[in-house]
Amino acid sequence: MTKTIPDVVCPFCGTLCDDLEVVVSDDGKQLLEVYNACAIGAEKFLHSQAEDRLTRPRLAQEDGSWKEIGYEEAIEYTAQMLANSKKPLMYGWSSTNCEAQGVGSEIGEITGAVMDNTATVCHGTSLIAVQDIGIPHCTLGEVKNRADRVVFWGCNPAHAHPRHMSRYSIFPRGFFTGKGHKGRKVIVIDPRKTDTANVADVHLQIEQGRDYELLDALRVAFKGLPLPDVVAGIPKEQIYEAAEVLKSGRFVIIFFGMGVTQSLGKNHNIDEAIAVTRDLNEYTKAAIMPMRGHYNVTGSGAVWGWQFGFPFAVDLSRGFARYNPGETTSNDLLRRDEVDSVFVLGSDPGAHFPFSSVKKISELPSVCIDPHQTPTTAVCKLHVPVAFVGVEVGGCAYRMDNVPIETRKVVDAPEGMMTDEEFLEKVLGRIKEIKGE
Amino acid sequence: MNTLAITVNLITGRTIQQGVSMEGGKEKPAYTAACGIIEIDPSDFAKLGAYRNTTVRVTSEHGSVVVKAIEATQGPHPGVAYIPMGPWANQVINPNTYSTGMPTFKGTPVEITEAKNETVLDSLELVRKACRGEI
Ligand code: SF4
């Protein structure tokens, strides 16, 4: 016999879909089917069952091979590394629950670490912009029920957040949006004709890196003032038209992604996008939302927000929290040789940092906590596989609109495997002993 | 021998194949197939004088990497090339954060040349070899 578990939350992207159904064997040990998830979410659940999954910690040897060790030894190694570092970098935190993040922060405080999460290579610049000028925000529920003008700027949800459009932003029928897709106008701004652009009413194929100019031009167009013939590769007629579409809506939502945050201009692009949203509020109701990637990157920002007052790049090395993106951010620290060990949990900088930073990690004492084998585990000295959060252990995660959702456990982890939280608790206890606290 | 080179503007980002293969295991061939590629516009392919699916070397001021060249799946976009986010793209993107914390993952000028006899390394081998200075 099998059991079907309803209302399961998908722990992959910031959409945090909460309507999955998972079929498991009667003893709760095997995960058999996943319904309602997109291809990525389904793969995440199913891969937790892989035959070749690693279940014990491994220590890198001189000759490049691995030696299997017990969790006790892994805890000792990690505790010693962190306790003996002057300024460890504790990076990741976006693919785990808020409970584990809380324990991690305590370790960071005791060891004088720099705590940074994946926002540093994702929406870090958005967070800077929000602190600079604030943000008119809303929830995805409001988008579903009210938004009749939807902008996707430098993001491609068809690929990165596959169910976002069907659950919240384009297709669903909501309370005031009974016509679904037919009642909405969708504008995509992207240098490529993406699969998201294909379902839009308007695609503005902007020249890459010219976001600030086009945003500025929109603000001019709202006021009906003159524009040059072409801005950022877009003819002015199209800009005036887009401005009209936006002003005539009842509720405008602007979603933006890496195209805006990672192109030159960075936080200033987002300053300007927020200013566009603010301007629109003179004509109608408008809100703006970052398309957050990892399922709980928002949560780690929230946890550190309450604990330290800052959402990422928190430097605790002086005994109090400092925050200065560009200085206390992971890639800057690594590039400038300012940290003396690296601890990674819930992320893969080996794959997603520029190579110059990866090389620095490979030269430092390093520990990586991750259920998978990744380019990070390939260059770290110790790899500790753990249970999958959201599959084998529950816990709190924050959706991209800052709504906390409790993820669910659906199957047991392989015998004897630890969760992130348990591992961190043990490391914390041992560090306290070493430091005599 | 073909020694033509083209210069294009490189951007990176997610694709659904990148997401699926990443969750399926970054040590597996599917991840290399999904991310060890560069998507090139048909008009740029013509300038390069190369066939679809040949291996190419992509070089920027910041590094160099061998990937497979395929025709852009979400195009057209002449002058813009795309490598899905991952360790291959990160060998060549601009690591400078210009005091924001954010490396410049989008908008790196790169040169593309054919590299028929070279192979695309898998992700773990790529970072290991690169860290040891072997490539
Ligand atoms: S859209 Fe995101 S949260 Fe929803 S099923 Fe797909 S990966 Fe999971």
Side-chain angles (χ1 to χ4, degrees):
Chain A
M1 270 298 281
T2 59
K3 281 190 295 201
T4 302
I5 307 176
D7 305 325
V8 175
V9 179
C10 170
F12 179 77
C13 82
T15 313
L16 220 57
C17 298
D18 51 7
D19 60 345
L20 274 49
E21 287 183 2
V22 176
V23 182
V24 296
S25 62
D26 207 18
D27 58 3
K29 289 197 184 334
Q30 256 196 317
L31 195 159
L32 305 167
E33 305 269 3
V34 182
Y35 295 110
N36 300 345
C38 71
I40 308 176
E43 184 69 25
K44 175 148 193 181
F45 277 95
L46 294 170
H47 186 234
S48 68
Q49 302 286 300
E51 301 263 319
D52 58 355
R53 178 168 167 190
L54 296 167
T55 53
R56 289 295 174 269
R58 309 179 297 159
L59 204 53
Q61 304 295 296
E62 286 293 328
D63 63 357
S65 65
W66 292 98
K67 185 179 117 195
E68 198 175 296
I69 59 170
Y71 274 106
E72 286 309 314
E73 207 180 317
I75 290 159
E76 180 67 22
Y77 187 99
T78 310
Q80 291 290 353
M81 180 188 89
L82 291 171
N84 295 324
S85 303
K86 270 205 175 122
K87 189 172 180 176
L89 170 62
M90 296 185 76
Y91 173 76
W93 308 105
S94 302
S95 286
T96 191
N97 51 28
C98 293
E99 291 82 349
Q101 290 161 358
V103 184
S105 313
E106 218 178 313
I107 297 179
E109 265 188 271
I110 293 189
T111 57
V114 181
M115 308 291 292
D116 200 7
N117 59 34
T118 57
T120 204
V121 288
C122 186
H123 274 289
T125 45
S126 312
L127 296 164
I128 301 173
V130 171
Q131 283 156 341
D132 284 348
I133 66 171
I135 188 164
H137 208 254
C138 68
T139 64
L140 288 174
E142 285 178 87
V143 170
K144 175 183 169 182
N145 287 309
R146 295 178 185 276
D148 60 347
R149 299 288 184 267
V150 183
V151 181
F152 292 107
W153 195 309
C155 58
N156 187 8
H159 282 256
H161 300 84
R163 295 185 67 217
H164 190 278
M165 298 184 299
S166 60
R167 270 174 66 87
Y168 299 112
S169 45
I170 303 187
F171 301 109
R173 293 161 196 268
F175 197 80
F176 300 108
T177 49
K179 291 202 191 123
H181 186 192
K182 284 204 191 81
R184 292 188 170 96
K185 286 249 182 293
V186 179
I187 301 180
V188 169
I189 299 160
D190 201 294
R192 300 184 306 144
K193 190 161 178 25
T194 58
D195 289 331
T196 306
N198 278 333
V199 296
D201 300 282
V202 182
H203 172 212
L204 302 179
Q205 194 161 5
I206 185 176
E207 272 176 41
Q208 193 275 328
R210 298 291 189 88
D211 304 88
Y212 194 96
E213 286 165 54
L214 185 57
L215 287 158
D216 232 7
L218 271 178
R219 297 182 69 191
V220 172
F222 290 152
K223 298 194 164 65
L225 296 171
L227 281 174
D229 289 344
V230 178
V231 180
I234 315 285
K236 68 175 175 192
E237 294 73 27
Q238 270 191 43
I239 300 173
Y240 284 122
E241 212 179 288
E244 252 343 284
V245 169
L246 294 175
K247 275 164 72 175
S248 64
R250 281 182 303 155
F251 189 113
V252 184
I253 175 74
I254 301 175
F255 291 107
F256 66 100
M258 304 296 95
V260 192
T261 66
Q262 295 179 338
S263 294
L264 284 180
K266 301 185 181 168
N267 52 311
H268 299 292
N269 295 331
I270 301 141
D271 283 351
E272 198 59 14
I274 296 172
V276 163
T277 318
R278 189 187 55 202
D279 283 5
L280 274 171
N281 273 297
E282 299 196 358
Y283 310 100
T284 177
K285 166 83 186 146
I288 180 166
M289 195 183 298
M291 296 287 273
R292 314 266 345 228
H294 283 73
Y295 72 92
N296 199 22
V297 58
T298 314
S300 73
V303 168
W304 295 347
W306 334 308
Q307 292 186 324
F308 307 122
F310 307 112
F312 77 116
V314 185
D315 180 353
L316 302 167
S317 64
R318 296 188 194 174
F320 56 91
R322 283 173 70 244
Y323 164 81
N324 189 15
E327 183 200 348
T328 60
T329 25
S330 300
N331 283 290
D332 300 276
L333 290 163
L334 289 165
R335 277 164 69 79
R336 287 198 294 256
D337 285 317
E338 284 182 23
V339 285
D340 54 354
S341 68
V342 180
F343 172 93
V344 179
L345 185 149
S347 168
D348 184 10
H352 300 147
F353 275 8
F355 175 68
S356 51
S357 300
V358 181
K359 187 154 192 310
K360 290 286 170 61
I361 298 175
S362 78
E363 290 160 1
L364 289 168
S366 49
V367 171
C368 178
I369 317 297
D370 199 306
H372 294 291
Q373 282 193 64
T374 66
T376 309
T377 66
V379 299
C380 279
K381 313 291 175 294
L382 171 65
H383 173 203
V384 185
V386 279
F388 277 87
V389 177
V391 181
E392 295 160 348
V393 57
C396 177
Y398 277 63
R399 201 166 66 185
M400 60 164 72
D401 55 352
N402 287 309
V403 172
I405 294 178
E406 192 68 19
T407 66
R408 302 186 65 173
K409 170 183 167 160
V410 290
V411 279
D412 291 334
E415 191 92 7
M417 278 194 88
M418 278 190 155
T419 66
D420 288 332
E421 194 185 352
E422 285 164 359
F423 185 80
L424 289 166
E425 286 281 6
K426 290 258 164 59
V427 170
L428 175 63
R430 184 65 190 118
I431 291 175
K432 282 184 177 161
E433 279 171 24
I434 298 169
K435 297 224 167 209
E437 282 181 21
Chain B
M1 211 187 114
N2 196 335
T3 51
L4 280 180
I6 56 167
T7 303
V8 291
N9 186 15
L10 179 74
I11 57 178
T12 71
R14 283 192 186 273
T15 66
I16 195 154
Q17 298 82 0
Q18 176 261 339
V20 173
S21 62
M22 166 172 102
E23 287 306 325
K26 289 188 180 124
E27 74 282 14
K28 305 266 163 48
Y31 185 55
T32 311
C35 302
I37 56 168
I38 185 164
E39 298 195 15
I40 302 179
D41 191 79
S43 64
D44 294 321
F45 254 118
K47 284 189 203 147
L48 183 61
Y51 288 113
R52 304 326 189 234
N53 303 326
T54 19
T55 42
V56 294
R57 180 168 284 280
V58 180
T59 309
S60 75
E61 212 184 295
H62 315 284
S64 177
V65 69
V66 173
V67 288
K68 190 167 90 173
I70 66 161
E71 183 172 325
T73 49
Q74 300 177 68
H77 42 69
V80 176
Y82 187 88
I83 305 183
M85 83 186 232
W88 294 272
N90 288 335
Q91 294 286 329
V92 293
I93 60 107
N94 177 1
N96 205 327
T97 79
Y98 303 103
S99 302
T100 63
M102 178 73 74
T104 311
F105 288 101
K106 306 208 190 236
T108 313
V110 295
E111 191 186 81
I112 306 175
T113 52
E114 261 191 59
K116 273 198 184 128
N117 300 323
E118 301 201 50
T119 43
V120 181
L121 297 175
D122 76 45
S123 73
L124 306 194
E125 214 181 341
L126 176 72
V127 291
R128 266 196 221 117
K129 283 200 164 163
C131 285
R132 292 197 296 250
E134 291 169 8
I135 45 172

